[in-house]
Amino acid sequence: MTTLPSHWTRRGFLGASTAGLAGALAPAIGSAAPTCAPLPTAGTRPRPSAAQLAWQREELSMFVHFSVNTFTGREWGDGSESPQVFNPTALDARQWARTARACGFASMILTAKHHDGFCLWPTKTTAHSVASSPWRGGKGDLVREFTDACRAEGLGVGFYLSPWDRNAAIYGEGKAYDDFYIEQLAELLTSYGPVAELWFDGANGEGPGGKRQQYDWARIHRTVRALQPHAVMFSDAGPDLRWIGNESGSAGSTCWASVDPARVPRPGADDPWTGEALQQGDPHGAVWRPGETDVSIRPGWFWHAEQDARVRTPQNLLDLYFTSVGRNSKLLLNVPPTPQGLFHDNDVRALRGFAQLRTAMLARDLAAGAPVTASSNGATAAHATDGDRDSFWMPAGGAREGWLELALPADAAFDVIRLEEAIAHGQHVSNYRIDAWRDGCWQPLAWGTTIGHCKLDRVPPTRTPRLRVAIEHAYDVPRIARVGLYRSAGGDWSRPDHHGDTDA
Ligand code: FUL
């Protein structure tokens, strides 16, 4: 029986919370470790570090929640669980990694320690770990098996290490717990090779009268920078990545990668404006801190038998792709292994279905190579359809608005539009519209605010000889790296709108 903490759906309770293409669109798997220094380009608006850029280009990452909770049916263990309950009978981290890789995910993040304090590696800091469990006769190291599996499949490695620890007796004692936490962190950062992401959860359900621990975030960040300078760090308050503000899989339809750090000063800050700041970011924010959208494939973060029939459908997962990746965020999808230590067949089936829908949709960019004209600087307009996300069109003379016009083949019928800014140079567009030529005039097809790394718009099934993307407002010269047109599996293609037929 699952025991949900009374406030588990509301992450902000009691000061608590962070929470959270590959394949067809070139994942950044296996590339040389990028650094955390901002990329050298002109301008005063914030830009990503190479590590943040590589992180965002992955688009899909997999979260793996596995702990004593997998065996007790709880979502938040209270720390009193006996390590004896931890005994996956057929654990195969390669099955997780193969599934992730085959379905287009570029990295995986493991709950090395959840709030219950049970460590999935044989840490020197506490006996509350796999070393005290019957699994592999107490000689197992799940973090090792996980990292080996990720490396074998070419996936990036990430760790979730819960600051809130309900088992450690010294939790709440200030420096003593800080030292303990830093030691755990250092073990993870020094024993298992390159780490791409650290996930710092601000959740805390101690409640009134509970233990209080002020985490030494500056020291935690310094430790990560010193031991894994290429890793990016996630929390509500960054420093590199921010929580998107909910666990339902939805980034703001306006979503800036930049933030004003003062609006979310620390993980777990629960001020009235926090949610909006996390969802939308801030066009004037001084810091580049893109949002990560964490959501589970099931109602819970951990596996529960009674949820085997409540796994998201492939179509629902595709919808999440639109509301996360398609809104300038990254999707961190949780897939919890069963007590056997395997992904459940229902989850694997859903993931495969999701991958099929996505790759079928993205297999062919109907705008690829299309001739493009522009409001100015026309010689570079073709960069928007050349498939190279590093090349871009920008209007001449420092203009902050302008338009691109694509000439499309008669048979190009689409219902998904993908726009990309060249975000290595920052994110600037705050308003755009897309029009199709029909009956001798431009007719509106889509309108939106931010673009960033990727903006996906669903439109009615459409054919048109001419498509115009107008940047109506930007905070600096807009740089458009891609206008892509795709056809989803779902649309009613029997009668696509024949934009322009009378005029073509
Ligand atoms: C939350 C935690 O309390 C949940 O258990 C889960 O780990 C989620 C990703 O973050 O804050």
Side-chain angles (χ1 to χ4, degrees):
M1 176 64 192
T2 311
T3 310
L4 296 181
S6 57
H7 48 291
W8 109 272
T9 51
R10 192 181 158 229
R11 301 178 36 79
F13 183 75
L14 289 171
S17 177
T18 63
L21 177 84
L25 289 177
I29 301 170
S31 49
T35 71
C36 292
L39 294 167
T41 54
T44 53
R45 293 175 58 75
R47 303 180 306 277
S49 67
Q52 288 169 315
L53 185 61
W55 172 88
Q56 184 132 24
R57 285 182 168 181
E58 284 186 357
E59 301 194 350
L60 297 178
S61 186
M62 193 173 280
F63 222 170
V64 180
H65 274 67
F66 195 58
S67 182
V68 287
N69 298 338
T70 311
F71 302 87
T72 60
R74 306 182 77 171
E75 274 293 319
W76 280 8
D78 63 14
S80 68
E81 296 78 12
S82 165
Q84 292 297 314
V85 301
F86 187 86
N87 195 13
T89 47
L91 188 128
D92 182 5
R94 275 303 282 279
Q95 185 241 12
W96 314 348
R98 263 197 305 274
T99 305
R101 173 69 169 165
C103 296
F105 291 74
S107 52
M108 290 209 292
I109 299 178
L110 175 69
T111 52
K113 178 183 85 167
H114 203 252
H115 310 323
D116 49 67
F118 184 76
C119 297
L120 298 185
W121 78 104
T123 172
K124 294 194 182 72
T125 60
T126 171
H128 199 56
S129 81
V130 284
S132 305
S133 81
W135 177 63
R136 307 241 193 277
K139 301 270 177 272
D141 182 342
L142 187 35
V143 170
R144 172 86 53 216
E145 294 190 24
F146 169 78
T147 51
D148 285 352
C150 288
R151 305 242 145 77
E153 296 296 329
L155 302 174
V157 165
F159 295 130
Y160 169 116
L161 183 70
S162 174
W164 183 35
D165 187 321
R166 305 180 83 183
N167 177 266
I170 51 174
Y171 184 82
E173 290 182 7
K175 183 158 183 319
Y177 180 75
D178 283 336
D179 290 347
F180 170 87
Y181 186 81
I182 290 285
E183 208 176 324
Q184 295 190 334
L185 189 58
E187 287 180 355
L188 292 175
L189 296 176
T190 55
S191 313
Y192 300 97
V195 177
E197 181 169 346
L198 273 306
W199 219 87
F200 296 123
D201 192 332
N204 186 304
E206 285 287 321
K211 294 177 174 181
R212 281 281 167 263
Q213 172 76 31
Q214 301 296 331
Y215 307 115
D216 189 345
W217 286 113
R219 187 175 167 203
I220 292 170
H221 297 166
R222 271 198 317 274
T223 303
V224 175
R225 289 280 190 257
L227 299 178
Q228 293 274 350
H230 305 296
V232 284
M233 291 181 258
F234 165 100
S235 85
D236 292 7
D240 304 315
L241 314 170
R242 74 176 194 268
W243 183 41
I244 207 62
N246 63 55
E247 293 175 335
S248 54
S250 190
S253 57
T254 293
C255 187
W256 293 95
S258 46
V259 298
D260 173 357
R263 290 181 75 192
V264 186
R266 64 187 180 284
D270 196 14
D271 302 316
W273 53 79
T274 303
E276 185 195 305
L278 293 168
Q279 275 268 286
Q280 303 189 357
D282 185 335
H284 305 295
V287 169
W288 188 272
R289 190 176 290 166
E292 183 162 25
T293 303
D294 64 316
V295 61
S296 188
I297 196 167
R298 291 162 172 249
W301 291 100
F302 288 90
W303 176 88
H304 308 291
E306 67 273 22
Q307 295 180 358
D308 281 348
R310 300 181 62 197
V311 175
R312 290 176 186 273
T313 62
Q315 186 58 50
N316 181 281
L317 293 172
L318 186 68
D319 291 345
L320 292 182
Y321 179 77
F322 272 86
T323 55
S324 55
V325 176
R327 292 181 178 173
N328 188 34
S329 182
K330 179 173 179 177
L331 178 59
L332 176 60
L333 181 68
N334 179 62
V335 184
T338 65
Q340 288 71 45
L342 297 168
F343 285 168
H344 192 278
D345 285 351
N346 292 358
D347 302 53
V348 173
R349 209 172 299 120
L351 288 166
R352 289 209 183 109
F354 168 45
Q356 274 160 13
L357 286 177
R358 204 178 69 251
T359 50
M361 178 175 89
L362 297 170
R364 186 157 166 239
D365 178 358
L366 298 156
V372 194
T373 51
S375 51
S376 65
N377 223 351
T380 61
H383 286 319
T385 57
D386 67 3
D388 174 0
R389 56 175 29 143
D390 290 318
S391 69
F392 53 85
W393 166 80
M394 60 193 272
R400 296 182 179 193
E401 75 276 306
W403 50 260
L404 288 168
E405 188 179 319
L406 280 63
L408 297 172
D411 63 342
F414 58 89
D415 63 349
V416 173
I417 304 176
R418 179 178 174 120
L419 301 180
E420 292 180 20
E421 273 181 84
I423 59 164
H425 305 271
Q427 183 188 356
H428 310 303
V429 175
S430 65
N431 273 98
Y432 68 87
R433 61 179 292 146
I434 304 174
D435 296 310
W437 186 257
R438 183 182 210 177
D439 299 336
C441 64
W442 291 109
Q443 301 212 357
L445 200 52
W447 180 90
T449 54
T450 50
I451 298 177
H453 165 70
C454 169
K455 179 67 195 294
L456 294 174
D457 282 308
R458 285 175 154 136
V459 297
T462 297
R463 270 191 195 129
T464 180
R466 298 163 66 188
L467 186 83
R468 181 175 278 200
V469 178
I471 306 303
E472 297 187 316
H473 181 261
Y475 289 100
D476 198 344
V477 184
R479 295 162 171 88
I480 305 301
R482 182 195 290 261
V483 177
L485 303 174
Y486 304 93
R487 179 176 168 142
S488 74
D492 175 7
W493 296 98
S494 53
R495 300 180 57 240
D497 280 0
H498 287 254
H499 289 284
D501 270 357
T502 56
D503 200 55

